[in-house]
Structure formats: C-alpha cells, structure tokens
Amino acid sequence: MKNKIAVIYKSKYGSSKRYAGWIALRLDADLYEIDDIRVKDLEEYDMIIYGGGIYIGKINGIKFITKNYDRIKEKKVIVFTVGMESTGENFDRVVKNTFDEKYLENIRVFNFKGSLDYSNLSFTDKILMKGLKLSIDKKSIRELTEDDKLILEGFEREVNLCDKKSIEPLIENI
C-alpha cells in the first residue's frame, strides 16, 4: 500500500511554495498552504512534510508542527526550510532553537536555498535586512562567506537560488 503524503507549506515570498510544489509533484502528494488544512485532516496521512522560510532565526509557521506534535508523532515527519544561509552554525542554531530533542528523534530537517529581492520585501523585512547588512558590512572582505556575498547582492538585484535538484536528498530519504 502506498503511503499517503501531505506537503504543507507557509510561504512569504514564494520560495517555500515553489519547493513544496516540486516535492508534492515528485511524491504524488497532496499539497496544502498552511491556512488550508486543519489538524484533524492530518490523521489520514502516513507522512507529513512541512516547509517554511527562515526569518529572524525561526522557521515560518513551524508552530503548526510543534503545537500538534503529539497528534503526528507516530507518522514520518519531514521539515524543510528555505533561506539564503543553508549550512553551518546559523542553520544548526535555527534547528536547535526550533526543536527540542524529543522532536528531532522523529523529524528529519532539510534546508534549501531561497531567493532574495530587497525591492520586493515588506517594510519590516527591509528594516531587518538593513540590520543584517550592517553586521555583514563590518566584516573584512576575507571574512565574508559566500552566503554573505549573496545577501549583499540581493540588495542590488534579485538573487534566486531555488534549485529543483536540491530536493533530491529529501526525496531519497522517503
């Protein structure tokens, strides 16, 4: 019998939605924007895949998973995040700050690169990005990471790093 899979996402600027769509197509899964599914609907699924962007060190909409964890802990749960910083200490910190150890026993987390277009950000997000830019600007050229350079580039033009191939490790995990 085939596993029934729900792919749920919360997307602010479109990257999480794009990845969720690619994953749902590859897995022949049901696709939901977070506001379009109720917790009781999750009972009919064997696997839950949730995706959201990383904003201010937090996964957008992740409370849907953590708040309802007791109702889904017997299912396979996968979380994917989308952000400009995809590896290293910052991502590890996001995972550690989001999930208690009890969650990580059952939840596998993947991260995908997103996109950044400063001109399309909300007023609040522009202010936050200016703060990030100030901290990056304090670094010497040698200290800049590739992620730092991409973020700075996003102030000048759209930087779109969404890559359909990057979902392969998640697909293989299933």
Side-chain angles (χ1 to χ4, degrees):
M1 185 173 108
K2 183 179 166 205
N3 282 342
K4 190 159 184 194
I5 303 170
V7 177
I8 306 161
Y9 68 91
K10 183 163 185 168
S11 191
K12 201 169 186 179
Y13 296 106
S15 296
S16 296
K17 180 179 182 177
R18 182 177 297 156
Y19 281 111
W22 289 335
I23 292 165
L25 279 172
R26 281 290 304 277
L27 298 174
D28 193 26
D30 295 336
L31 178 64
Y32 298 97
E33 201 282 327
I34 195 168
D35 293 332
D36 296 333
I37 189 165
R38 298 169 300 189
V39 177
K40 71 176 193 161
D41 296 330
L42 299 178
E43 294 169 11
E44 68 183 84
Y45 293 97
D46 303 305
M47 182 182 303
I48 310 296
I49 300 173
Y50 178 80
I54 297 175
Y55 298 99
I56 322 170
K58 296 185 170 113
I59 304 168
N60 195 16
I62 197 63
K63 283 186 181 179
F64 182 79
I65 297 296
T66 57
K67 188 172 78 175
N68 298 300
Y69 182 74
D70 286 335
R71 294 179 82 167
I72 62 171
K73 67 184 176 186
E74 300 304 320
K75 302 174 185 298
K76 183 164 185 171
V77 180
I78 294 175
V79 171
F80 70 87
T81 64
V82 180
M84 293 302 287
E85 295 184 290
S86 61
T87 58
E89 292 176 20
N90 288 334
F91 178 68
D92 292 343
R93 194 175 315 117
V94 168
V95 172
K96 186 177 179 188
N97 290 339
T98 302
F99 300 108
D100 294 335
E101 286 298 318
K102 72 174 186 176
Y103 297 125
L104 292 175
E105 292 171 10
N106 188 39
I107 296 176
R108 183 79 200 272
V109 183
F110 294 85
N111 189 60
F112 307 129
K113 292 263 189 181
S115 62
L116 173 62
D117 184 356
Y118 182 79
S119 67
N120 285 333
L121 297 180
S122 70
F123 178 74
T124 303
D125 287 342
K126 283 182 178 179
I127 291 171
L128 293 170
M129 287 303 297
K130 284 278 191 183
L132 178 59
K133 185 178 186 299
L134 287 172
S135 70
I136 293 171
D137 285 342
K138 291 178 184 175
K139 295 180 179 181
S140 72
I141 297 218
R142 280 188 230 132
E143 292 175 310
L144 291 177
T145 66
E146 288 304 310
D147 288 337
D148 291 337
K149 293 173 188 173
L150 289 168
I151 289 168
L152 292 174
E153 191 177 329
F155 281 87
E156 304 299 322
R157 65 173 187 86
E158 180 182 5
V159 176
N160 185 348
L161 301 175
C162 294
D163 181 6
K164 194 175 189 178
K165 293 179 203 148
S166 65
I167 68 170
E168 287 308 314
L170 184 151
I171 301 297
E172 289 170 9
N173 184 259
I174 293 171

